Each structure stands twice: as C-alpha cells, then as structure tokens.
Amino acid sequence: MKYKDLITKMTLEEKASLMSGKDFWQTQDIERLDINNIFLADGPHGIRKQAEAADHLGLNESLQATCFPTAATVANSWNEELGETMGDYLGKEAVAQKVNVLLGPGINMKRSPLAGRNFEYFSEDPYLAGKLAAGMIRGIQSHGISACVKHFAVNNQEERRMSIDTIVDERTLREIYLTAFEIAVKEGETKTIMSAYNMLNGAYTNENLHIMRDILRGEWDFEGVVVTDWGGSNDRVAGLAAGNELEMPTTAGETNEEIIAAIKNGKIKENILDECVDRLLDLVFTTEEVFKKESKEIDINEHHEMAQRVAEESIVLLKNEDNILPLNKDKKIAVIGDFAKEARYQGAGSSIVNPTFLDNTLDVLKESNIESIGFEQGFDRYGKKSKKKIDEACSLAKEADVVLLYIGLDEVTEAEGLDRENMAIPENQIELLDALFEVNPNIVAVLSCGAAVEIPFINKVKGLVHAYLSGQAGAKAILKILTGDVNPSGKLAESFPVRFEDTPSYHQFPGKEVSVEYREGPFIGYRYYDTANVDVLFPFGYGLSYTTFEYSNIQVNKDGVTFNITNSGEVAGLEVAQLYVGCQSKDIFRPKKELKGFTKVSLHAGETKTVTIPFDDKTFRYFNVKTNQWEIEGADYNIMIGASSSDMRLEDNLFIDGTGAPLPYNKENLPSYYSGKANNVSVEEFETLIGRKVPVATWDRTKPLGYNDTIAQCQYAKGLFARFAFRAIKFSHKFLWKIGKRSTANLIMMSVYHMPFRGMVRMTGGIMNMGMLDGILMVVNGKFFKGMRHLLSERKKMKASKRKLDITTGSSSKGEVL
C-alpha cells in the first residue's frame, strides 16, 4: 500500500468515514491528518458543477461551462485525436472549476435504439467506443485530475435501471459489453470507474465479485477507485468486499456504521477496508496537486470554437440527391422547423450543461452566404398538431428554391431515466414534411436527436444531414456543412434500421419487471444485420462527403494491413477507413465481420496517401467459455477495408495460427446463433447458451415488498395507502403530461415510479435512514399503524442522534430531517 503509514494513524471510524460522501458531490475529509475532500461533477460533454442546491437529475442550474457535442455525436467523428483534444479542453475547465473527478465518459453499448441514455454513449461497437473513450480520458487526465468511466457494466436500459437484473452469457459479456471498459482501463488508464445501478446475472454490479474482483482488479490490473452511481449502493459491506471505495452521495454516516460493525463482528477483514482507503487516498492526493498551482482563466471563446470544430467533424451527411448540397448562395432558402428557432443541442438529465454561449440558427444565418427568405415554425416540438403552422410553412416554401427543414426529437423524449417508446419522429413533423413535399420537393432536412430513428420520409427529402446533439456551437457547425465551408466527414457510429421491429433486441427490450434477457448474444447492431442479411436504412460506418475516395493496393501481413487512399474528387476532405475482420471457420459462431481498427485521413483533391492499420491483441481473439479465457481460432481470416460496414473496398485473406483451445459449443444445440438469426431466440436455446436456467422474469406478487422492490409495485401492495399512492403517482404523471409539464412528468417516472424503496434512503443524503424505511415498508405491506409508529420512533431517534453529534462536534445542522 502506498499510504500504509498514514492509514495506521487512522481510527477505524475515520477509515470507514472515507468510504461515503461528505455531501452530494464531495468526499469526506479528515482535518487532523490533512486529508482534504475532493469534488466530483457530472461532465461527459461539459462540466456540470452545481454550487448550490445539488441534485443528480439536472433540475438545478450549474455553473456555466462549454457544452461540447454529446458522446453519440463525437463518436461519428471516428477521430481518437479529436476526442483527446476535446478531453484536454474538458480537463482545463474542470481544473478551473476545481473539479477533481469528471464523471465521464459513458461507454455503455447501444443495445437498442430506444435506450433513453443513448445520446450519452458512443456506439453499438465496443472497439470504437473504447478507443474514443481512451482518447478522451487521456485528454482529461493530462491535467492531473481524473476521468470516471461509466457505467460498469451492462447498463443498457433506463426503465427500472436501479433494480433490473441483466441476464447475459459470459462470452457476450466479455466481447461486447466489457471490451470498451477494458480499452478505457488499459489504454486510457482511467483513474476512476463508476459502477452501474443494475444487477448482472443475479448480483448488483457494485457487489459483483466476478466483474469487480476477477476481471477489473485481477485481469485488467485496475488500481484506481470505484465509485457507485448516485444512490446505487445496495449492500454497503458487500460493495466494499467487491472493491468499491466510494459510495455517493452521503448517507450521513449510516453505512459507515455498517462497515464498522462488519469489521468488528468478523464479517469482513479490516485489511479490505485498508486497501480501499489506500486507493481513495491516492485519488485524493494525486488530483489535488493541480489545485496547488495557480489556475488559469478559461478562454470561453476558444473553447466555443473547439466545440464547433468537434461538431463540424461529427455531423453526418446521409443523403445528397442531385447534389443539392452544398447550398448554392444564389438559391432562395426557406428555413422551417422549431429546432431552427430553439436548437436541440444536448441531452437531458444529469448531463445537462449550462452553456457559456448558445449559437442560434436564425442569428447565424445572417452571418452566412445563405439567402434566407424567412422562417416558419412549422410544428410544435412536443407533438401538438397545428394545421395553421403547416399552412404558413407551406406558403413560405412555395416561394423558395430550397426548403431547409429542422426536425428531430425533443428534450423530454430522450432523457436519463426513461426509455423511448418507439423509434418514430413525432407525427406532426412527418405531416409537415409531407405537406412541404407537395409544394416544394427540394427539401434538405437537418435531423437533431441522440440516437437512431425511423426515417419513413427518406424518399421525400433530397438532402439529409444528421447533426445528432452537436453542442452549443452546433448551429454554426451545421451551416458550415450545409454551405460547403466544411466538407462533411462524420460517419455513423450506429446502424439505422428500417424499422424498430428489425432490431436484434426487439423481443427482449426493455426488461419490464425482474430481469432482461440478452438473448441475441453478441449479435447487436451491424453484427446482427450483416450476419442475418437484414436490410438497414443506413449501415454502421456510413457517411457521405462532397468529394470521392478511391481505395487501392491492399497488402496484409501478420502485423497489419496497408493500402492507399486517393481523393478522386475536386475538394479537400477527410475519409474514415475501417478495418473489419471475419473468421472463415464455422466451428465457433461469430458475426460475419467485426470492426478491428480505423483511421481518419485528410486528403487534398487528387492526393494519395499510404495508410497502415495495425493489428492488436483484439484483432483475432474470441472468449472461450470452456477455457474461461481469450483464445484465437486457427483459421483463414477475411481482412476487409471498408468505407462502411456494408461497403467493402478492399479484401484479402490471412491464415492465423490458433491457440488450440477446445470448441466451446455444440453446434446442433445453438442453431440461431450459428445462423446469426438471433433476434427471436427461444428461452430453451438461450439457457443452453448461458448454461443455466434463467430466473423468473416477473415479480412475485405474493411476497411483501422489500428494499429492492420499486414504487411501481405498490399497485399490488397489501396496504391500502400504498395502492392509493400508486394511483396518485400514475394520475399525476398523466395529468402533468397532458398540461404540458412533460419534464416534471418524466421526473416522476424516473425518480419515484421506478425507484426502489432503498433509493429513498440512498438518494436523500441522510434525511431518511433504513430504520425509517422499515416503517414505510410496514405501511406498504398493510401494517399501517405499526409502520407509522415505527417510522416516527426512528425519526425521533435519528433527530436525537443528530443533535448529540452536533453538540459533540460543535457544529449546527443547516437542514432538518423529515
């Protein structure tokens, strides 16, 4: 241990106190030993430091900071160096705001397009997500502070996220859902990891010895700190045993007492606590060094320009019929759409950034060469239909040469804590587009949203630009693309299916009650579409340019692949070349091809460059469930260089010697997986894959409700009061949604309806304790008067204990317990 001498000076109580927060965002300090507290802040795409009235839901305004494009947007750049530079800027701002740990990036896989937090994640591909995250981590940590990769692991739905049990086979877990974290740890060298809310194969991730001890600490040699997601601790002692250093937010000392009691009664050894304290002290001491130096002021204009640069390289051109783009400066342009007036530029929830500036499309238009003849709103962003708005938009469109239409998803549709109900763009926007097409077919649509959507209108637009959620400078970046000042170079980091029913997880998303089964195995995203020959609207890795690129002269050896790229067009541009590998053996089921490398190349018109993409330790490996380790199958491998996952430009073969591991599967028992058509696997075949029975996926409605049951389950509670409360919550949500208070309605679903009862304690910062919760559960389970007596008794004890502590420490409480 690095701080053994210091730890020996600490009392058991002091060591335990470091294991949970001091308040909502800060760690505990020990003044007598010169151990300071450190500050953690949300920040996947911008610092969200709340100076007052802290919350984890994005309710209260934070200090101003640069709002960079979200991870879903940045991923489309396919540019590690750009991600590292953005991380560098994030790190500078974190230091300026005295933030020790920046809670990001988020690198969970996009298993389904409907996952509500997709805007905050990079990709459906673990290799791309891991590489981009590693670059961002290096940039953030170059300033001496810590990044915090999240959410570890297999956190792919928002509904019931704090209690859902994710059932996944070991091979899929390793190859798909842990690989990005592995890259972030080994290549990014992240100092901190955030555990996820959910359970994984029967154990909460924060307590899961397999991923926390065996893999994270054992295989990956991670020596940093694990912090819970806010309110994500279930059993604090079990979490400590798994190697969780920090529980957030504060529990006002309640869980510290649990740790002390567990050590005194021999449930866990004190050296486990010492190891966790040692790692936390290292994070404290190493990240506070930077604040001893004179901090520099941030040039907010420079950072705004950097946000624009990231957006410019991440925006994707999806369609350009008749070369309608770039826009001709002599054309009369009608600007239509609510998102042109009020941009959709970031997600919702804990990642909300209070921007330093916010470019507005209508203002930026005046600075461009575009001849705008006017603006019409066209539609209500929250879906309310209006014939008047459509008629006004059509009147303007008739006078224009080109219609520039800004459409997308609103802020309450894509939000932390809630999954989308479907992949559709609101119907009122589709009706507007249909009407515009009748009066002017020269439509360029600008799409703003954080994930894949269905695009039934694809044949009614000549141009389609996907801006994703492009940050505070997105409006100007979009116009730079539209006018040709910037040649688009973004490529999709996720597939766009034709319809939601085509997605591999369609039948198993989301898990509604106890568990969610990942029956599709490793066949997510393009791995499924390509292998099962399912058509998509736009494939993974797809994106157009205003120039053209030719690939030639492929050469493959044991170290990698070399080839030439030529800009065969008339303007300079950037091209993303993608390396895919496919094993030609049929002994072990695999996707048809998998991304194993990429590079982004800048080329002047007519220029040719020789490019090399090296192989690495992940190029040919697969996880063998019999040997329980990574193996290489001896076989011929198809080496492919493509402009997207469905556009292979160069191919060659290479034989690779294998490790000689035994075959892990019986082909006859897994027909869906060997065919790749794994979108509707039977429970029997899935159980064969995972090697055990799956748990019952529905709630046991005969048992009393407990700590990990949710408020939603009060619908069948024995207590009349609980059933009434459930109906009141449902009514409130429906009523608030109907009167337009959609954000508040969403908040009810996220922070009340799907919250497990223990969340009342874990998320209230010591206002309630577990004893009081026991009383509430008695009420819920039909023992109203006994429960109320217990609740009031525990409340009285808690207040007395708090007064005694205040007298002992000489402090006074600013807040009052319930």
Side-chain angles (χ1 to χ4, degrees), residues 683-748:
V683 65
E684 293 79 12
E685 188 176 350
F686 182 57
E687 288 177 339
T688 299
L689 179 70
I690 64 175
R692 63 184 185 278
K693 289 286 185 181
V694 298
V696 176
T698 53
W699 291 315
D700 185 345
R701 288 161 170 77
T702 64
K703 289 184 177 179
L705 299 182
Y707 295 148
N708 289 318
D709 292 311
T710 64
I711 310 300
Q713 291 168 256
C714 285
Q715 61 188 289
Y716 59 82
K718 291 182 179 178
L720 180 64
F721 179 80
R723 295 199 301 274
F724 173 79
F726 167 78
R727 290 187 179 92
I729 290 167
K730 288 281 285 185
F731 173 80
S732 298
H733 173 265
K734 187 175 182 180
F735 177 74
L736 288 166
W737 189 269
K738 189 171 184 178
I739 65 172
K741 301 286 186 180
R742 291 176 171 84
S743 294
T744 307
N746 279 354
L747 185 63
I748 287 175

Side-chain angles (χ1 to χ4, degrees), residues 6-31:
L6 178 59
I7 293 171
T8 57
K9 298 176 184 177
M10 299 168 67
T11 65
L12 176 59
E13 288 74 16
E14 285 174 328
K15 288 188 285 189
S17 74
L18 293 176
M19 298 293 96
S20 63
K22 180 179 182 178
D23 54 27
F24 211 88
W25 296 115
Q26 297 181 92
T27 63
Q28 187 60 261
D29 58 314
I30 302 177
E31 191 173 337

Side-chain angles (χ1 to χ4, degrees), residues 27 171 229 301 344 401 668 672 750:
T27 63
R171 181 181 169 199
D229 203 341
N301 293 298
R344 175 80 204 289
D401 296 315
E668 287 71 27
S672 300
M750 175 172 62

Side-chain angles (χ1 to χ4, degrees), residues 255-420:
T255 55
N256 302 344
E257 294 297 325
E258 293 174 6
I259 293 171
I260 293 166
I263 290 172
K264 287 183 176 179
N265 65 27
K267 187 175 181 180
I268 58 171
K269 295 181 179 179
E270 192 167 352
N271 71 303
I272 291 176
L273 174 61
D274 291 347
E275 288 174 2
C276 290
V277 170
D278 188 65
R279 288 192 287 259
L280 184 65
L281 289 176
D282 194 50
L283 181 67
V284 171
F285 292 142
T286 57
T287 60
E288 70 179 1
E289 282 298 314
V290 67
F291 303 115
K292 295 177 182 178
K293 305 169 188 175
E294 186 178 345
S295 62
K296 296 179 180 179
E297 288 288 323
I298 296 301
D299 185 336
I300 59 175
N301 293 298
E302 178 190 343
H303 282 232
H304 183 75
E305 289 172 3
M306 182 61 201
Q308 181 181 324
R309 179 188 155 197
V310 176
E312 288 171 356
E313 205 167 316
S314 305
I315 293 168
V316 187
L317 177 61
L318 293 176
K319 185 176 182 181
N320 194 17
E321 184 181 331
D322 298 333
N323 291 321
I324 195 169
L325 294 175
L327 293 172
N328 190 315
K329 64 181 180 180
D330 298 324
K331 299 288 187 181
K332 293 184 295 183
I333 309 298
V335 181
I336 296 171
D338 194 38
F339 295 107
K341 180 180 68 174
E342 189 176 340
R344 175 80 204 289
Y345 64 98
Q346 66 171 325
S350 64
S351 66
I352 288 179
V353 179
N354 182 14
T356 55
F357 302 106
L358 182 57
D359 285 345
N360 179 278
T361 299
L362 300 181
D363 292 336
V364 177
L365 267 171
K366 299 170 186 175
E367 304 169 14
S368 71
N369 291 325
I370 294 177
E371 184 187 345
S372 172
I373 63 169
F375 164 77
E376 287 293 344
Q377 184 179 349
F379 63 87
D380 176 85
R381 74 197 294 120
Y382 297 116
K384 184 178 179 181
K385 295 185 178 183
S386 171
K387 186 176 184 303
K388 180 182 177 183
K389 284 186 173 66
I390 291 177
D391 290 342
E392 290 170 343
C394 287
S395 295
L396 180 64
K398 289 176 183 177
E399 306 301 318
D401 296 315
V402 176
V403 174
L404 191 53
L405 177 63
Y406 284 76
I407 56 176
L409 298 179
D410 60 72
E411 296 82 356
V412 298
T413 299
E414 293 182 292
E416 178 184 352
L418 298 161
D419 297 311
R420 287 158 57 199

Side-chain angles (χ1 to χ4, degrees), residues 13 134 216 287 467 473 516 588 613 632:
E13 288 74 16
L216 180 62
T287 60
V516 54
I588 300 170
I613 301 178
I632 295 175

